[in-house]
Amino acid sequence: MSLRLRLVGGRHDLDTFFALPYRKYAGHPFWVPPLRLDQRAILDRRRHPFYLKADAEFFLAERDGRVCGRVAAIHNHAHNEFHQDRTGFFGFLEMDAADTARALLDGAADWCARRGLAAIRGPANPSTN
């Protein structure tokens, strides 16, 4: 079973990223799904005001061609300016297994490190607010 991490690369991928928890937890008696409209809005990097002072990259994990996890890597410039630190964040984390979690978190941490961030914290979807 091969595990592969890839960037969300278009509308179809973003739809897949968005739908994963709804598919994964469908029918679970204790899951209260977040409002779809709110989730769609917060993932829109072009329109949502959070991204005026933040950058994010979304990742999907695939095992043998099937999506099995997701994560967002987040650089919240406003947080770092206010707190005078270099912290990155991860959020929207979903996975099927421990090795998927490791790959997703390593991918998010690497993305943050390439931007000069010294630590990663989460989950934050997409911020601590």
Side-chain angles (χ1 to χ4, degrees):
M1 295 194 309
S2 74
L3 181 64
R4 177 174 87 98
L5 192 65
R6 65 182 178 82
L7 297 175
V8 166
R11 179 70 183 194
H12 176 74
D13 281 351
L14 188 60
D15 288 345
T16 300
F17 185 94
F18 167 81
L20 183 61
Y22 296 92
R23 185 188 68 188
K24 181 178 180 182
Y25 301 115
H28 192 286
F30 301 117
W31 188 57
V32 178
L35 295 174
R36 289 177 182 266
L37 187 63
D38 289 345
Q39 291 299 290
R40 279 271 184 216
I42 201 77
L43 294 174
D44 190 337
R45 292 176 283 191
R46 290 180 302 177
R47 291 191 178 107
H48 196 280
F50 175 75
Y51 300 104
L52 294 174
K53 289 206 160 217
D55 300 309
E57 191 66 72
F58 304 138
F59 296 88
L60 290 170
E62 291 181 339
R63 187 182 315 278
D64 298 325
R66 185 174 182 274
V67 173
C68 61
R70 72 177 192 170
V71 72
I74 303 158
H75 183 176
N76 185 339
H77 301 281
H79 169 92
N80 288 328
E81 289 167 13
F82 181 82
H83 292 284
Q84 297 294 302
D85 64 9
R86 296 178 311 151
T87 301
F89 295 88
F90 70 89
F92 302 102
L93 181 64
E94 299 288 344
M95 81 295 293
D96 66 344
D99 64 331
T100 307
R102 172 59 57 204
L104 290 164
L105 292 172
D106 285 350
D110 182 58
W111 184 89
C112 289
R114 287 193 316 266
R115 281 149 187 79
L117 303 172
I120 188 167
R121 186 180 303 150
N125 295 348
S127 77
T128 58
N129 298 323

